[in-house]
Amino acid sequence: MAALGYGYTISEVVASATNYAVFLGKRPNDKPLSVKWFKGFQQRWPELRVVRPRALSNYRAEATSEANVHEYFNNLMSVVEKHDLHNKPECVYNIDEKGIQTEHTPPFIISGTLKAPAVTSSRSCVTTIIGCGNALGTQLPPFFVFKGKRLNADLLQRSTQGSSGCMSDSGWSNSAVFLHYMDTHFLRYVQRVDKSQPILVLLDGHKSHINVPVLDWAKKNNIILFILPAHTSHVLQPLDVGCFGPLQKIYNSMCHRFIRENPSTKITRYNVAPLGSAAYVAALSVENLRSAFKKSGVFPVDESAVSKEHFTTSLPYVAEPSVPEINKNMHERNPDVFFYEAEVVINKKKEFNNAKKKNNILEFTSGKEITDPIIEQKLRERAETTNEQKNKQQTEQSNKHSKLMPTKETASQTRNKQLKKKQSTKQHTYPEPGPSHLNTDVESSEDEDDDETCCVCSLFQPKELANCVSLIFVKWAKCDFDNCSHWVHLQFCTATNVVRRNDPFYCPCHNIAEE
């Protein structure tokens, strides 16, 4: 069970042993076994150890199967033979991203007490290091991706020689950042006699690596892009296998030392590049790179370099059912009866394979060379289909929005029709006051009659609302002075905001409001 990825803890083993002892009739139910029994059990079976397992996602457990790895090595061998890269380790590269933060994990320390604190900086946004090295052991200078809009040169000060960087909205790499890295950084340091020599680059299946612009750039510069099988980078990607683990440990140690030796006791984004680049140079050493390419079976191409232990976790997903059938005549205290249910649980995990697979780009790029003409054509067709779907969705949303909210042009057309209708009938309609001398008519036109305009601004619509595109009701009031039929904008052209019912109102033309 531990090899499959579903191990038991000490307490669970003791509980299971108690149930088994009760099942065999060797122990009463009210007297369970203790941890002391487990220590004796461990002495009788010295190969049993209490270990801390490494977390492994179910996607990686399922993907790291012997069949997937075998197919990957067959495709990789075909590419190496096709481009004659057997004896050219300087032409086989691996590129990968690693995220680091100002908050580090403290390393082990020496202390006189059982518990000891470790001062760290507060957590900040992620900064990505794009790392690259070849099978010969040559590392490319680090490339940093900071969060922000504009690159500040101070962010790269005191970093190792050749370090470069750019900005992104999240601090993570994306399609534009990756293409910029390949064109301005990778080509600058890549080793080859001339452009006629092809370069093999191994990448994981991140979406920033698989797109048409990157594909066009690779063909133009004679770069072979090979995508690793999905969810297998922990076993097959050289930088993950032998370099990025040491990089994180070295970075944590450097941050711990920096905080101890500097009075400010704080790591900011301006310290990330100096500390990160120093850790990068130490981790991607010649020995580590060569060992990583060899251990992952990339150079020399060797499928047997991948340990068979990695395939065990995929057995509950791909192996044939092997649960024994229970014989009705079997003795009730037979061990097969007791452990039958545990084996059934493992067998049921194969139902994951019956789940509907997602229709994503990794279906035809995983473990293959995407610069191959057949894969390239599929990528271009998929990109065209995706663009058409996006355009269709945008059109549908735009049409839906236009139906719900009339545009400015539609409102203008409606106003012009009403104006033409009024002019054709040659009827003059004055605003009719309501119960409190108010009128809320908002219709306006450049050809309005003088009697229909405000006596103060001489406009039908207040000038304050000239550029307004929203629907606003303008309050009017009619003058109560004898033989005066003037209308006035309330709030905009008078100090009066409200005229109450039966209250007299006088326009500014008559200075008798105070009388």
Side-chain angles (χ1 to χ4, degrees):
M1 292 296 288
L4 293 175
Y6 309 100
Y8 289 90
T9 63
I10 294 178
S11 60
E12 290 172 337
V13 170
V14 173
S16 180
T18 300
N19 295 334
Y20 188 41
V22 173
F23 174 80
L24 297 177
K26 295 181 178 295
R27 197 174 189 86
N29 194 20
D30 57 345
K31 292 184 177 181
L33 298 173
S34 64
V35 178
K36 182 180 179 180
W37 168 89
F38 176 77
K39 292 181 179 179
F41 181 70
Q42 199 173 16
Q43 290 176 359
R44 295 190 295 272
W45 299 89
E47 64 269 22
L48 295 179
R49 299 178 180 87
V50 179
V51 298
R52 180 182 293 276
R54 187 183 69 171
L56 184 70
S57 69
N58 61 321
Y59 293 107
R60 291 191 172 189
E62 181 180 2
T64 314
S65 64
E66 191 170 4
N68 288 345
V69 174
H70 179 70
E71 182 182 3
Y72 155 73
F73 276 106
N74 286 341
N75 294 334
L76 181 61
M77 178 63 75
S78 300
V79 173
V80 171
E81 291 178 349
K82 177 182 177 181
H83 299 281
D84 190 22
L85 298 174
H86 281 292
N87 298 318
K88 299 176 181 177
E90 72 280 4
C91 297
V92 181
Y93 286 81
N94 178 217
I95 300 176
D96 195 17
E97 294 86 8
K98 171 69 175 176
I100 57 176
Q101 292 184 334
T102 55
E103 182 186 24
H104 69 281
T105 302
F108 287 96
I109 62 171
I110 306 300
S111 174
T113 59
L114 294 176
K115 295 182 179 180
V119 177
T120 65
S121 299
S122 58
R123 177 167 295 188
S124 66
C125 54
V126 174
T127 299
T128 301
I129 301 179
I130 303 181
C132 179
N134 62 18
L136 186 63
T138 305
Q139 63 171 252
L140 270 64
F143 188 90
F144 294 90
V145 183
F146 300 96
K147 182 180 180 179
K149 297 294 184 181
R150 292 184 179 181
L151 180 62
N152 188 344
D154 294 340
L155 292 173
L156 293 170
Q157 284 188 356
R158 303 183 307 280
S159 59
T160 57
Q161 190 171 3
S163 300
S164 184
C166 67
M167 311 295 285
S168 72
D169 292 337
S170 62
W172 292 102
S173 178
N174 53 43
S175 299
V177 169
F178 180 71
L179 184 58
H180 173 72
Y181 167 82
M182 296 294 289
D183 192 39
T184 63
H185 195 80
F186 178 79
L187 279 184
R188 182 180 179 184
Y189 296 104
V190 71
Q191 293 182 353
R192 60 178 169 181
V193 178
D194 52 44
K195 196 175 180 180
S196 62
Q197 172 61 52
I199 297 294
L200 175 61
V201 178
L202 274 67
L203 303 163
D204 58 33
H206 193 270
K207 61 182 179 180
S208 63
H209 303 155
I210 309 174
N211 53 74
V212 174
V214 172
L215 196 63
D216 291 337
W217 176 90
K219 292 184 61 179
K220 178 182 177 182
N221 294 278
N222 199 13
I223 304 295
I224 307 165
L225 300 180
F226 195 97
I227 303 301
L228 296 167
H231 310 298
T232 61
S233 59
H234 64 294
V235 175
L236 302 178
Q237 179 148 245
L239 291 181
D240 275 350
V241 170
C243 295
F244 280 171
L247 189 154
Q248 186 66 59
K249 291 182 180 178
I250 297 172
Y251 177 75
N252 289 337
S253 297
M254 288 185 170
C255 290
H256 184 75
R257 186 185 307 169
F258 178 88
I259 289 182
R260 184 179 64 239
E261 296 177 354
N262 287 271
S264 62
T265 64
K266 182 180 180 182
I267 296 176
T268 66
R269 62 189 308 209
Y270 295 96
N271 307 122
V272 169
L275 296 172
S277 60
Y280 175 93
V281 171
L284 273 70
S285 62
V286 176
E287 294 78 9
N288 283 356
L289 282 171
R290 289 181 178 178
S291 176
F293 275 86
K294 183 178 181 180
K295 187 177 180 180
S296 58
V298 174
F299 196 92
V301 180
D302 183 13
E303 183 177 353
S304 63
V306 179
S307 175
K308 300 294 184 180
E309 296 178 356
H310 295 298
F311 306 145
T312 311
T313 56
S314 67
L315 294 180
Y317 300 90
V318 299
E320 293 296 328
S322 59
V323 179
E325 295 183 0
I326 294 296
N327 190 345
K328 295 181 179 179
N329 298 324
M330 187 176 293
H331 192 272
E332 61 177 3
R333 291 185 178 179
N334 190 297
D336 291 340
V337 177
F338 180 80
F339 293 106
Y340 177 77
E341 293 184 0
E343 295 185 23
V344 170
V345 171
I346 293 298
N347 190 56
K348 286 184 176 180
K349 290 185 178 295
K350 298 179 182 61
E351 296 178 1
F352 279 94
N353 284 339
N354 298 326
K356 185 177 179 181
K357 301 294 183 181
K358 293 183 178 180
N359 182 21
N360 55 39
I361 201 171
L362 294 177
E363 288 185 357
F364 58 89
T365 60
S366 180
K368 298 177 182 177
E369 174 197 349
I370 63 173
T371 46
D372 180 79
I374 298 177
I375 305 298
E376 177 188 352
Q377 181 62 27
K378 291 183 179 180
L379 282 172
R380 294 186 183 277
E381 291 176 356
R382 185 180 180 87
E384 292 177 358
T385 304
T386 303
N387 291 334
E388 290 177 359
Q389 292 176 350
K390 288 182 179 180
N391 294 334
K392 185 178 180 180
Q393 291 177 355
Q394 292 177 355
T395 302
E396 292 177 352
Q397 291 178 355
S398 177
N399 294 337
K400 184 178 180 180
H401 182 72
S402 62
K403 290 180 180 179
L404 295 176
M405 296 188 65
T407 60
K408 186 177 180 180
E409 297 179 353
T410 304
S412 177
Q413 292 174 357
T414 303
R415 186 170 61 250
N416 291 336
K417 287 182 180 180
Q418 293 176 349
L419 178 62
K420 289 181 180 180
K421 182 178 180 180
K422 182 183 292 185
Q423 291 177 347
S424 62
T425 55
K426 295 183 180 180
Q427 293 180 352
H428 227 45
T429 305
Y430 291 94
E432 293 294 335
S436 58
H437 305 273
L438 303 181
N439 182 279
T440 57
D441 187 8
V442 295
E443 183 181 341
S444 62
S445 172
E446 296 178 356
D447 299 327
E448 296 291 343
D449 192 280
D450 290 342
D451 292 337
E452 293 184 329
T453 59
C454 175
C455 68
V456 177
C457 64
S458 301
L459 298 173
F460 183 82
Q461 177 180 284
K463 58 183 179 180
E464 289 84 356
L465 303 180
N467 298 324
C468 183
V469 296
S470 303
L471 181 64
I472 297 179
F473 293 93
V474 180
K475 295 181 181 180
W476 294 72
K478 186 178 181 180
C479 182
D480 290 332
F481 192 77
D482 294 341
N483 299 325
C484 181
S485 60
H486 291 172
W487 287 81
V488 184
H489 295 135
L490 293 181
Q491 184 178 358
F492 296 100
C493 297
T494 65
T496 305
N497 293 332
V498 178
V499 178
R500 302 185 183 278
R501 185 187 298 273
N502 300 324
D503 286 351
F505 173 77
Y506 302 99
C507 67
C509 300
H510 308 285
N511 296 325
I512 60 174
E514 297 180 356
E515 296 178 1

Short mmCIF file of all heavy atoms in Angstrom, two decimals, residues 425-447:
data_model
loop_
_atom_site.label_atom_id
_atom_site.label_comp_id
_atom_site.label_asym_id
_atom_site.label_seq_id
_atom_site.Cartn_x
_atom_site.Cartn_y
_atom_site.Cartn_z
N THR A 425 -46.72 68.01 -38.43
CA THR A 425 -48.07 68.38 -37.99
C THR A 425 -48.17 69.87 -37.70
O THR A 425 -49.28 70.40 -37.56
CB THR A 425 -48.41 67.60 -36.72
OG1 THR A 425 -47.40 67.84 -35.74
CG2 THR A 425 -48.47 66.11 -37.01
N LYS A 426 -47.01 70.55 -37.64
CA LYS A 426 -46.98 71.99 -37.38
C LYS A 426 -47.77 72.36 -36.14
O LYS A 426 -48.51 73.33 -36.10
CB LYS A 426 -47.52 72.75 -38.57
CG LYS A 426 -46.65 72.60 -39.81
CD LYS A 426 -47.19 73.44 -40.95
CE LYS A 426 -46.32 73.29 -42.20
NZ LYS A 426 -46.82 74.09 -43.33
N GLN A 427 -47.64 71.55 -35.16
CA GLN A 427 -48.30 71.82 -33.89
C GLN A 427 -47.27 72.25 -32.87
O GLN A 427 -46.17 71.71 -32.84
CB GLN A 427 -49.03 70.58 -33.39
CG GLN A 427 -50.21 70.19 -34.27
CD GLN A 427 -50.91 68.96 -33.74
OE1 GLN A 427 -50.42 68.34 -32.82
NE2 GLN A 427 -52.04 68.63 -34.34
N HIS A 428 -47.66 73.23 -32.10
CA HIS A 428 -46.78 73.78 -31.08
C HIS A 428 -47.27 73.31 -29.73
O HIS A 428 -48.38 73.65 -29.33
CB HIS A 428 -46.81 75.30 -31.16
CG HIS A 428 -45.44 75.90 -31.13
ND1 HIS A 428 -44.40 75.41 -31.87
CD2 HIS A 428 -44.96 76.96 -30.43
CE1 HIS A 428 -43.34 76.16 -31.67
NE2 HIS A 428 -43.65 77.10 -30.79
N THR A 429 -46.49 72.54 -29.04
CA THR A 429 -46.89 72.01 -27.74
C THR A 429 -45.97 72.57 -26.67
O THR A 429 -44.77 72.38 -26.73
CB THR A 429 -46.81 70.49 -27.72
OG1 THR A 429 -47.59 69.97 -28.80
CG2 THR A 429 -47.31 69.94 -26.40
N TYR A 430 -46.57 73.31 -25.76
CA TYR A 430 -45.80 73.88 -24.66
C TYR A 430 -45.77 72.88 -23.51
O TYR A 430 -46.70 72.10 -23.31
CB TYR A 430 -46.42 75.20 -24.17
CG TYR A 430 -46.27 76.30 -25.17
CD1 TYR A 430 -47.30 76.57 -26.08
CD2 TYR A 430 -45.11 77.07 -25.21
CE1 TYR A 430 -47.16 77.58 -27.00
CE2 TYR A 430 -44.98 78.09 -26.14
CZ TYR A 430 -46.00 78.33 -27.03
OH TYR A 430 -45.87 79.31 -27.96
N PRO A 431 -44.71 72.89 -22.75
CA PRO A 431 -44.66 71.98 -21.59
C PRO A 431 -45.78 72.28 -20.62
O PRO A 431 -46.03 73.44 -20.29
CB PRO A 431 -43.29 72.29 -20.96
CG PRO A 431 -42.52 72.98 -22.04
CD PRO A 431 -43.51 73.70 -22.88
N GLU A 432 -46.47 71.25 -20.22
CA GLU A 432 -47.57 71.40 -19.29
C GLU A 432 -47.06 71.18 -17.87
O GLU A 432 -46.43 70.18 -17.58
CB GLU A 432 -48.67 70.37 -19.60
CG GLU A 432 -49.36 70.63 -20.93
CD GLU A 432 -50.15 71.92 -20.92
OE1 GLU A 432 -50.55 72.36 -19.83
OE2 GLU A 432 -50.35 72.49 -22.00
N PRO A 433 -47.33 72.15 -16.98
CA PRO A 433 -46.88 71.99 -15.60
C PRO A 433 -47.70 70.93 -14.88
O PRO A 433 -48.88 70.77 -15.15
CB PRO A 433 -47.09 73.36 -14.98
CG PRO A 433 -48.21 73.94 -15.78
CD PRO A 433 -48.03 73.42 -17.18
N GLY A 434 -47.04 70.25 -13.95
CA GLY A 434 -47.73 69.27 -13.12
C GLY A 434 -48.32 69.94 -11.91
O GLY A 434 -48.44 71.17 -11.86
N PRO A 435 -48.69 69.17 -10.93
CA PRO A 435 -49.30 69.72 -9.71
C PRO A 435 -48.40 70.70 -9.00
O PRO A 435 -48.89 71.55 -8.28
CB PRO A 435 -49.55 68.47 -8.86
CG PRO A 435 -49.59 67.33 -9.85
CD PRO A 435 -48.65 67.72 -10.94
N SER A 436 -47.08 70.58 -9.16
CA SER A 436 -46.19 71.51 -8.47
C SER A 436 -45.38 72.31 -9.47
O SER A 436 -44.23 72.61 -9.25
CB SER A 436 -45.25 70.72 -7.56
OG SER A 436 -44.51 69.78 -8.33
N HIS A 437 -45.99 72.65 -10.59
CA HIS A 437 -45.39 73.48 -11.63
C HIS A 437 -44.20 72.78 -12.30
O HIS A 437 -43.37 73.43 -12.91
CB HIS A 437 -44.89 74.83 -11.04
CG HIS A 437 -45.96 75.59 -10.33
ND1 HIS A 437 -46.81 76.45 -10.98
CD2 HIS A 437 -46.32 75.59 -9.02
CE1 HIS A 437 -47.65 76.98 -10.10
NE2 HIS A 437 -47.38 76.48 -8.90
N LEU A 438 -44.08 71.45 -12.21
CA LEU A 438 -42.92 70.74 -12.73
C LEU A 438 -43.25 70.06 -14.04
O LEU A 438 -44.39 69.67 -14.30
CB LEU A 438 -42.43 69.68 -11.73
CG LEU A 438 -42.06 70.21 -10.35
CD1 LEU A 438 -41.56 69.06 -9.50
CD2 LEU A 438 -40.99 71.28 -10.48
N ASN A 439 -42.21 69.88 -14.87
CA ASN A 439 -42.34 69.12 -16.10
C ASN A 439 -41.08 68.30 -16.26
O ASN A 439 -39.99 68.81 -16.08
CB ASN A 439 -42.50 70.08 -17.28
CG ASN A 439 -42.68 69.33 -18.60
OD1 ASN A 439 -41.70 68.90 -19.17
ND2 ASN A 439 -43.92 69.21 -19.05
N THR A 440 -41.25 67.06 -16.61
CA THR A 440 -40.10 66.16 -16.70
C THR A 440 -39.81 65.72 -18.12
O THR A 440 -39.22 64.68 -18.37
CB THR A 440 -40.36 64.91 -15.87
OG1 THR A 440 -41.57 64.29 -16.31
CG2 THR A 440 -40.46 65.24 -14.39
N ASP A 441 -40.23 66.51 -19.10
CA ASP A 441 -39.95 66.19 -20.49
C ASP A 441 -38.47 66.40 -20.77
O ASP A 441 -37.92 67.46 -20.51
CB ASP A 441 -40.80 67.09 -21.38
CG ASP A 441 -40.70 66.69 -22.84
OD1 ASP A 441 -40.10 65.63 -23.10
OD2 ASP A 441 -41.23 67.43 -23.68
N VAL A 442 -37.78 65.37 -21.32
CA VAL A 442 -36.34 65.47 -21.57
C VAL A 442 -36.04 65.55 -23.06
O VAL A 442 -34.89 65.50 -23.46
CB VAL A 442 -35.61 64.24 -20.98
CG1 VAL A 442 -35.74 64.23 -19.48
CG2 VAL A 442 -36.17 62.94 -21.58
N GLU A 443 -37.06 65.63 -23.91
CA GLU A 443 -36.82 65.70 -25.34
C GLU A 443 -36.13 67.01 -25.68
O GLU A 443 -36.49 68.08 -25.21
CB GLU A 443 -38.16 65.56 -26.06
CG GLU A 443 -38.02 65.55 -27.57
CD GLU A 443 -39.38 65.44 -28.23
OE1 GLU A 443 -40.34 65.02 -27.57
OE2 GLU A 443 -39.46 65.78 -29.40
N SER A 444 -35.08 66.97 -26.51
CA SER A 444 -34.34 68.17 -26.87
C SER A 444 -33.99 68.13 -28.34
O SER A 444 -33.88 67.08 -28.94
CB SER A 444 -33.06 68.27 -26.04
OG SER A 444 -32.23 67.18 -26.30
N SER A 445 -33.76 69.29 -28.90
CA SER A 445 -33.38 69.38 -30.30
C SER A 445 -32.75 70.72 -30.54
O SER A 445 -32.99 71.69 -29.83
CB SER A 445 -34.61 69.18 -31.20
OG SER A 445 -34.29 69.44 -32.54
N GLU A 446 -31.95 70.80 -31.60
CA GLU A 446 -31.30 72.06 -31.93
C GLU A 446 -32.28 73.05 -32.54
O GLU A 446 -32.02 74.24 -32.61
CB GLU A 446 -30.16 71.80 -32.92
CG GLU A 446 -29.05 70.96 -32.33
CD GLU A 446 -27.96 70.68 -33.34
OE1 GLU A 446 -28.12 71.10 -34.51
OE2 GLU A 446 -26.95 70.06 -32.98
N ASP A 447 -33.46 72.56 -33.01
CA ASP A 447 -34.44 73.42 -33.69
C ASP A 447 -35.62 73.75 -32.82
O ASP A 447 -36.70 74.04 -33.30
CB ASP A 447 -34.94 72.72 -34.97
CG ASP A 447 -33.81 72.45 -35.94
OD1 ASP A 447 -32.87 73.26 -35.99
OD2 ASP A 447 -33.89 71.41 -36.65
#
